[in-house]
Amino acid sequence: MVWLAQGVFELGKIDDEAELAVGKALNATADETIDAAGKFLEITRQRVGDKAKYRQTLFELYETDERFDSIFLMHVLEHLIDPVAVLVKARELLTSQGRVLVVVPNGNAISRQIAVKMGLLKELTDFAPADHRGGHRRIYLMDTLQRDARAAGLKIDHSGGIFLKVLANFQFDALAGGPLISEDRKST
């Protein structure tokens, strides 16, 4: 489902190509971006440019009279103490036809399912070391994400995934620059 975005508000930094692709597909350029960490705002500024306003603040403390057609919550909710409160705030910042786009790591990813089968995790929602290092406070499954969205008074128009992630991040990192994934690898 693709829809055009006029006033765009982004909570959190753009940190990967998937998020940039989503913004491009929606013809969206952020009007305002906020994050609690100044270094993440600078990363976003370097990737996106000075088209947007950047503000360092906690999502929970953000105040404005402006309303937005699109609000992006990209890899934010899993870090928050009270994600439902932030979803409520996002809903309140929407125009009457506005939409919230939420992306969270998939707790049902194949890599997590394999980790459960291998005994590395007891449950899909158990924290892996990378979750702790990344500051995650929860592991979302589709039903728990939808529960939080509904608790915030949001209507869910569409849900799904971005891509099939077979390996965990540390596995991708180990492959990058190695014999399988490298700049000098020649295709045969």
Side-chain angles (χ1 to χ4, degrees):
M1 170 168 43
V2 177
W3 40 276
L4 288 181
Q6 299 299 319
V8 177
F9 180 47
E10 181 192 6
L11 285 77
K13 70 179 176 68
I14 294 178
D15 67 350
D16 64 25
E17 296 303 319
E19 292 173 14
L20 286 172
V22 168
K24 287 178 184 174
L26 297 176
N27 192 31
T29 302
D31 292 326
E32 186 154 1
T33 299
I34 67 168
D35 199 298
K39 71 178 184 176
F40 291 148
L41 286 175
E42 186 54 35
I43 290 168
T44 303
R45 184 190 316 271
Q46 289 173 10
R47 298 210 53 191
V48 175
D50 288 325
K51 298 174 188 169
K53 295 181 275 184
Y54 298 92
R55 189 160 152 199
Q56 185 174 351
T57 185
L58 293 173
F59 306 129
E60 296 86 342
L61 302 178
Y62 178 78
E63 295 293 334
T64 184
D65 292 329
E66 192 171 355
R67 295 298 172 257
F68 300 92
D69 296 316
S70 304
I71 296 178
F72 290 78
L73 287 150
M74 310 287 268
H75 296 278
V76 169
L77 296 181
E78 67 272 15
H79 298 276
L80 302 176
I81 291 171
D82 189 352
V84 174
V86 171
L87 287 166
V88 167
K89 181 161 280 222
R91 185 193 48 151
E92 292 170 350
L93 291 173
L94 289 173
T95 62
S96 62
Q97 297 300 309
R99 295 174 187 242
V100 176
L101 179 83
V102 176
V103 175
V104 296
N106 180 5
N108 202 29
I110 291 174
S111 58
R112 293 185 77 82
Q113 293 179 46
I114 292 169
V116 169
K117 292 289 186 189
M118 293 174 64
L120 300 172
L121 298 175
K122 288 184 182 179
E123 303 287 334
L124 289 172
T125 53
D126 287 350
F127 288 94
D131 296 312
H132 289 293
R133 283 192 305 275
H136 293 183
R137 295 177 180 272
R138 68 197 40 76
I139 307 297
Y140 273 110
L141 301 174
M142 186 63 76
D143 65 326
T144 55
L145 177 59
Q146 290 178 351
R147 178 200 63 211
D148 283 0
R150 287 187 183 105
L154 292 168
K155 177 181 168 257
I156 299 168
D157 288 335
H158 179 77
S159 62
I162 295 175
F163 65 93
L164 177 64
K165 183 179 176 186
V166 179
L167 301 175
N169 288 349
F170 80 90
Q171 293 167 316
F172 280 119
D173 292 343
L175 288 172
L180 295 177
I181 304 173
S182 67
E183 292 294 320
D184 60 341
R185 181 167 169 85
K186 300 192 190 273
S187 59
T188 56

PDB file of all heavy atoms in Angstrom, residues 3 22 26 70-74 99-103:
ATOM      1  N   TRP A   3       1.062   5.471  -0.268  1.00  0.00           N
ATOM      2  CA  TRP A   3       0.299   6.697  -0.144  1.00  0.00           C
ATOM      3  C   TRP A   3       1.269   7.853  -0.064  1.00  0.00           C
ATOM      4  O   TRP A   3       2.379   7.717   0.416  1.00  0.00           O
ATOM      5  CB  TRP A   3      -0.640   6.675   1.058  1.00  0.00           C
ATOM      6  CG  TRP A   3      -0.056   6.049   2.271  1.00  0.00           C
ATOM      7  CD1 TRP A   3      -0.002   4.728   2.581  1.00  0.00           C
ATOM      8  CD2 TRP A   3       0.601   6.716   3.359  1.00  0.00           C
ATOM      9  NE1 TRP A   3       0.623   4.530   3.774  1.00  0.00           N
ATOM     10  CE2 TRP A   3       1.002   5.725   4.277  1.00  0.00           C
ATOM     11  CE3 TRP A   3       0.878   8.043   3.642  1.00  0.00           C
ATOM     12  CZ2 TRP A   3       1.669   6.027   5.457  1.00  0.00           C
ATOM     13  CZ3 TRP A   3       1.543   8.336   4.812  1.00  0.00           C
ATOM     14  CH2 TRP A   3       1.924   7.339   5.703  1.00  0.00           C
ATOM     15  N   VAL A  22      11.813   2.929   2.137  1.00  0.00           N
ATOM     16  CA  VAL A  22      10.415   3.150   2.519  1.00  0.00           C
ATOM     17  C   VAL A  22      10.053   4.616   2.310  1.00  0.00           C
ATOM     18  O   VAL A  22       9.030   4.943   1.710  1.00  0.00           O
ATOM     19  CB  VAL A  22      10.155   2.720   3.987  1.00  0.00           C
ATOM     20  CG1 VAL A  22       8.803   3.214   4.461  1.00  0.00           C
ATOM     21  CG2 VAL A  22      10.246   1.213   4.112  1.00  0.00           C
ATOM     22  N   LEU A  26       7.318   6.132  -0.493  1.00  0.00           N
ATOM     23  CA  LEU A  26       6.164   6.929  -0.088  1.00  0.00           C
ATOM     24  C   LEU A  26       6.279   8.377  -0.534  1.00  0.00           C
ATOM     25  O   LEU A  26       5.452   9.205  -0.199  1.00  0.00           O
ATOM     26  CB  LEU A  26       5.999   6.879   1.438  1.00  0.00           C
ATOM     27  CG  LEU A  26       5.712   5.505   2.023  1.00  0.00           C
ATOM     28  CD1 LEU A  26       5.665   5.575   3.540  1.00  0.00           C
ATOM     29  CD2 LEU A  26       4.422   4.950   1.474  1.00  0.00           C
ATOM     30  N   SER A  70       2.073  12.036   7.870  1.00  0.00           N
ATOM     31  CA  SER A  70       2.783  10.765   8.029  1.00  0.00           C
ATOM     32  C   SER A  70       3.726  10.859   9.214  1.00  0.00           C
ATOM     33  O   SER A  70       4.475  11.821   9.335  1.00  0.00           O
ATOM     34  CB  SER A  70       3.615  10.450   6.782  1.00  0.00           C
ATOM     35  OG  SER A  70       2.813  10.447   5.639  1.00  0.00           O
ATOM     36  N   ILE A  71       3.681   9.848  10.048  1.00  0.00           N
ATOM     37  CA  ILE A  71       4.617   9.755  11.163  1.00  0.00           C
ATOM     38  C   ILE A  71       5.300   8.401  11.071  1.00  0.00           C
ATOM     39  O   ILE A  71       4.638   7.365  11.012  1.00  0.00           O
ATOM     40  CB  ILE A  71       3.910   9.928  12.524  1.00  0.00           C
ATOM     41  CG1 ILE A  71       3.314  11.334  12.612  1.00  0.00           C
ATOM     42  CG2 ILE A  71       4.892   9.663  13.671  1.00  0.00           C
ATOM     43  CD1 ILE A  71       2.540  11.619  13.874  1.00  0.00           C
ATOM     44  N   PHE A  72       6.632   8.434  11.018  1.00  0.00           N
ATOM     45  CA  PHE A  72       7.434   7.220  10.919  1.00  0.00           C
ATOM     46  C   PHE A  72       8.019   6.905  12.287  1.00  0.00           C
ATOM     47  O   PHE A  72       8.729   7.719  12.863  1.00  0.00           O
ATOM     48  CB  PHE A  72       8.597   7.421   9.933  1.00  0.00           C
ATOM     49  CG  PHE A  72       8.170   7.536   8.503  1.00  0.00           C
ATOM     50  CD1 PHE A  72       7.635   8.714   8.013  1.00  0.00           C
ATOM     51  CD2 PHE A  72       8.321   6.468   7.641  1.00  0.00           C
ATOM     52  CE1 PHE A  72       7.251   8.827   6.693  1.00  0.00           C
ATOM     53  CE2 PHE A  72       7.947   6.570   6.312  1.00  0.00           C
ATOM     54  CZ  PHE A  72       7.407   7.756   5.835  1.00  0.00           C
ATOM     55  N   LEU A  73       7.731   5.725  12.779  1.00  0.00           N
ATOM     56  CA  LEU A  73       8.342   5.200  14.009  1.00  0.00           C
ATOM     57  C   LEU A  73       9.173   3.988  13.590  1.00  0.00           C
ATOM     58  O   LEU A  73       8.687   2.860  13.566  1.00  0.00           O
ATOM     59  CB  LEU A  73       7.268   4.791  15.018  1.00  0.00           C
ATOM     60  CG  LEU A  73       6.532   5.933  15.697  1.00  0.00           C
ATOM     61  CD1 LEU A  73       5.115   5.551  16.054  1.00  0.00           C
ATOM     62  CD2 LEU A  73       7.298   6.345  16.920  1.00  0.00           C
ATOM     63  N   MET A  74      10.402   4.247  13.226  1.00  0.00           N
ATOM     64  CA  MET A  74      11.260   3.219  12.646  1.00  0.00           C
ATOM     65  C   MET A  74      12.265   2.737  13.686  1.00  0.00           C
ATOM     66  O   MET A  74      13.179   3.478  14.052  1.00  0.00           O
ATOM     67  CB  MET A  74      11.993   3.777  11.435  1.00  0.00           C
ATOM     68  CG  MET A  74      11.080   4.487  10.432  1.00  0.00           C
ATOM     69  SD  MET A  74      10.064   3.370   9.496  1.00  0.00           S
ATOM     70  CE  MET A  74      11.116   3.122   8.099  1.00  0.00           C
ATOM     71  N   ARG A  99      -1.373   9.005   8.786  1.00  0.00           N
ATOM     72  CA  ARG A  99      -1.048   7.606   9.050  1.00  0.00           C
ATOM     73  C   ARG A  99       0.272   7.510   9.803  1.00  0.00           C
ATOM     74  O   ARG A  99       1.154   8.332   9.633  1.00  0.00           O
ATOM     75  CB  ARG A  99      -0.924   6.820   7.755  1.00  0.00           C
ATOM     76  CG  ARG A  99      -2.224   6.734   7.005  1.00  0.00           C
ATOM     77  CD  ARG A  99      -2.009   6.075   5.667  1.00  0.00           C
ATOM     78  NE  ARG A  99      -3.241   6.140   4.894  1.00  0.00           N
ATOM     79  CZ  ARG A  99      -3.909   5.079   4.480  1.00  0.00           C
ATOM     80  NH1 ARG A  99      -3.462   3.878   4.748  1.00  0.00           N
ATOM     81  NH2 ARG A  99      -5.010   5.210   3.794  1.00  0.00           N
ATOM     82  N   VAL A 100       0.370   6.464  10.615  1.00  0.00           N
ATOM     83  CA  VAL A 100       1.603   6.148  11.330  1.00  0.00           C
ATOM     84  C   VAL A 100       2.176   4.895  10.682  1.00  0.00           C
ATOM     85  O   VAL A 100       1.457   3.906  10.497  1.00  0.00           O
ATOM     86  CB  VAL A 100       1.335   5.887  12.832  1.00  0.00           C
ATOM     87  CG1 VAL A 100       2.614   5.463  13.545  1.00  0.00           C
ATOM     88  CG2 VAL A 100       0.729   7.109  13.495  1.00  0.00           C
ATOM     89  N   LEU A 101       3.460   4.941  10.337  1.00  0.00           N
ATOM     90  CA  LEU A 101       4.156   3.775   9.821  1.00  0.00           C
ATOM     91  C   LEU A 101       5.120   3.307  10.898  1.00  0.00           C
ATOM     92  O   LEU A 101       5.979   4.066  11.333  1.00  0.00           O
ATOM     93  CB  LEU A 101       4.924   4.109   8.544  1.00  0.00           C
ATOM     94  CG  LEU A 101       5.688   2.932   7.962  1.00  0.00           C
ATOM     95  CD1 LEU A 101       4.756   2.080   7.106  1.00  0.00           C
ATOM     96  CD2 LEU A 101       6.863   3.414   7.141  1.00  0.00           C
ATOM     97  N   VAL A 102       4.947   2.064  11.347  1.00  0.00           N
ATOM     98  CA  VAL A 102       5.760   1.512  12.436  1.00  0.00           C
ATOM     99  C   VAL A 102       6.592   0.350  11.901  1.00  0.00           C
ATOM    100  O   VAL A 102       6.064  -0.534  11.217  1.00  0.00           O
ATOM    101  CB  VAL A 102       4.864   1.001  13.592  1.00  0.00           C
ATOM    102  CG1 VAL A 102       5.698   0.338  14.669  1.00  0.00           C
ATOM    103  CG2 VAL A 102       4.022   2.136  14.162  1.00  0.00           C
ATOM    104  N   VAL A 103       7.880   0.374  12.209  1.00  0.00           N
ATOM    105  CA  VAL A 103       8.764  -0.742  11.888  1.00  0.00           C
ATOM    106  C   VAL A 103       9.483  -1.124  13.174  1.00  0.00           C
ATOM    107  O   VAL A 103      10.031  -0.269  13.868  1.00  0.00           O
ATOM    108  CB  VAL A 103       9.796  -0.364  10.800  1.00  0.00           C
ATOM    109  CG1 VAL A 103      10.787  -1.504  10.568  1.00  0.00           C
ATOM    110  CG2 VAL A 103       9.100   0.023   9.506  1.00  0.00           C
TER     111      VAL A 103
END
